[in-house]
Amino acid sequence: MSSPQDSRMEKVEANKAQKEQDMMSCTSENELLAWQAKFEAFPFFKTPRFFKGAKITLRLLTVVTTFLAMLFMLTSHQSTTVLGTQLDARYSYSPAFKFFVYANAASCFFIFLSLLATIVFYLRGTCPTNKCSYLFFLNDMMMLAMEIGGCAAATAIGELGLHGNSHAGWGSICGYYGKFCDRVKISLAFSYASVVSMFILTVISSMNFKENPF
């Protein structure tokens, strides 16, 4: 059986542990309040103007990156001689690369239209209706899906051209068409950058249609 002195010691230890837990809880709450105060110190990031500016910037970035991706792919051609035979490498010889160009062209065009509409509505102050906001979101989501499809198709063919497939007996062509492969890599890099910007744009477009209309 435990003595009265042991019981008192256990109570003292329990009280000490409870005080430490209360202090830790208070510290966590104070830290949370401090972070909240820092966030509230910059109210601009919560205003519709910030979201409008972010959407305009992302749409402009998407237009530039998709255009550059399309441009580099369109100009990626090279001629070389293999075993005395003149051979050409062009994007148009691959259906996957052609789809990649079409996807970037469509994304560039429709995001550009949405950019113009966004600027017009920004100057007017708001989007006319909530349906208009949904159309912006739908446009961004569809272009994102198309861009991902184009990137996936071009990446698959690009990886095959870069490394080949030893199981099927397909060799790499980048050793013969270095310039062609380099431009394809640059084109893919711009296209993946547009995927990132469109993903962020789609997320923002889906948030609070009424408070942040476009």
Side-chain angles (χ1 to χ4, degrees):
M1 297 179 62
S2 61
S3 62
Q5 185 176 2
D6 294 337
S7 297
R8 286 195 297 272
M9 290 294 294
E10 291 178 357
K11 289 182 180 180
V12 170
E13 293 294 334
N15 291 334
K16 185 183 294 186
Q18 184 63 35
K19 289 180 180 180
E20 292 178 353
Q21 185 176 0
D22 292 340
M23 291 179 63
M24 292 178 62
S25 177
C26 182
T27 302
S28 301
E29 184 176 355
N30 290 335
E31 290 178 354
L32 181 61
L33 292 174
W35 279 106
Q36 184 177 359
K38 290 180 181 180
F39 181 75
E40 291 177 351
F42 299 94
F44 172 75
F45 294 103
K46 299 185 294 182
T47 61
R49 180 176 296 181
F50 168 75
F51 284 97
K52 294 172 186 177
K55 290 174 183 178
I56 291 176
T57 302
L58 288 170
R59 293 187 198 282
L60 180 60
L61 179 62
T62 300
V63 169
V64 172
T65 52
T66 51
F67 177 78
L68 289 176
M70 178 181 61
L71 180 64
F72 273 93
M73 184 61 76
L74 287 172
T75 57
S76 60
H77 56 82
Q78 184 180 359
S79 299
T80 187
T81 302
V82 179
L83 299 177
T85 304
Q86 185 76 14
L87 298 176
D88 292 332
R90 298 176 182 272
Y91 86 94
S92 57
Y93 296 160
S94 169
F97 286 159
K98 290 172 67 175
F99 174 70
F100 175 84
V101 171
Y102 298 152
N104 278 276
S107 299
C108 182
F109 177 72
F110 285 103
I111 294 296
F112 178 72
L113 290 182
S114 67
L115 172 63
L116 295 180
T118 300
I119 294 175
V120 170
F121 292 139
Y122 180 79
L123 296 176
R124 292 180 55 181
T126 184
C127 196
T129 63
N130 200 40
K131 291 182 179 180
C132 172
S133 303
Y134 178 74
L135 290 177
F136 275 100
F137 166 71
L138 187 62
N139 174 76
D140 297 337
M141 185 176 62
M142 291 177 62
M143 294 304 103
L144 174 61
M146 182 177 297
E147 190 69 13
I148 290 175
C151 284
T155 300
I157 298 301
E159 195 278 337
L160 183 62
L162 181 63
H163 299 291
N165 190 321
S166 59
H167 300 287
W170 298 336
S172 170
I173 67 167
C174 287
Y176 303 100
Y177 303 100
K179 180 182 176 182
F180 172 80
C181 291
D182 289 340
R183 297 189 73 84
V184 170
K185 290 177 185 177
I186 296 173
S187 178
L188 283 170
F190 278 118
S191 188
Y192 276 108
S194 69
V195 167
V196 174
S197 63
M198 276 195 282
F199 174 77
I200 300 173
L201 179 61
T202 302
V203 172
I204 295 177
S205 297
S206 67
M207 297 169 56
N208 301 328
F209 287 153
K210 293 182 179 180
E211 288 78 9
N212 307 301
F214 54 86

